[in-house]
Amino acid sequence: MKNIRNGMRAPAGRWTAGVLAGAFASIVGVALGSGLRRQGGARGRVSVERQLAALRAHTARQAQAARQLDHDLRAPVGAMAVALELMSTTDDPSLKQEAMQVLERQIARMNTLTHRVHEFSREFNG
């Protein structure tokens, strides 16, 4: 990439840093719904700092929701694995029946979770 002023090549690091900084500013602006506006003086810095703090808080809430979803999906899978193992290793009909009931409950739970994930994803697709 040539430097417009003197025809020299710009170092790749500077170009990459500039592109990344521009992309970050665009992402932050889109995420906040209003874009980053240049304002004069300390008031502009406070506004940008507030926007960044709001973005960080939003990201932290999303990370917590992702951790909760991870747990909510893993728990029924673990219970189903144990029930399946019990069904395949026991000859006791009452234990097999209990394991079957666990499987039915956990499958229903997984269906509810996948429905909730689907509804959540629709919020991002408009």
Side-chain angles (χ1 to χ4, degrees):
M1 171 171 210
K2 290 199 176 209
N3 185 323
I4 294 174
R5 287 188 199 164
N6 58 20
M8 303 283 295
R9 283 194 161 268
R14 285 186 186 168
W15 181 82
T16 303
V19 168
L20 290 175
F24 179 74
S26 295
I27 290 168
V28 169
V30 168
L32 295 175
S34 63
L36 293 175
R37 296 189 182 105
R38 291 188 183 259
Q39 297 174 354
R43 198 174 110 204
R45 282 191 301 276
V46 170
S47 176
V48 170
E49 288 171 3
R50 282 184 185 155
Q51 289 176 350
L52 288 174
L55 180 61
R56 286 186 189 111
H58 179 71
T59 302
R61 286 190 303 274
Q62 286 182 327
Q64 177 60 35
R67 285 189 294 274
Q68 184 65 46
L69 178 61
D70 176 61
H71 174 269
D72 289 348
L73 290 172
R74 288 176 184 264
V77 170
M80 290 187 304
V82 169
L84 188 59
E85 177 73 22
L86 181 62
M87 287 181 71
S88 66
T89 59
T90 188
D91 292 328
D92 183 355
S94 65
L95 281 177
K96 284 189 177 196
Q97 180 63 31
E98 188 176 337
M100 182 65 78
Q101 290 170 350
V102 168
L103 285 169
E104 289 170 351
R105 280 193 311 270
Q106 297 308 319
I107 288 170
R109 184 176 176 191
M110 291 291 291
N111 280 331
T112 300
L113 286 170
T114 56
H115 178 72
R116 288 175 51 200
V117 169
H118 177 73
E119 291 299 315
F120 178 72
S121 71
R122 289 181 68 183
E123 291 179 19
F124 292 104
N125 295 325

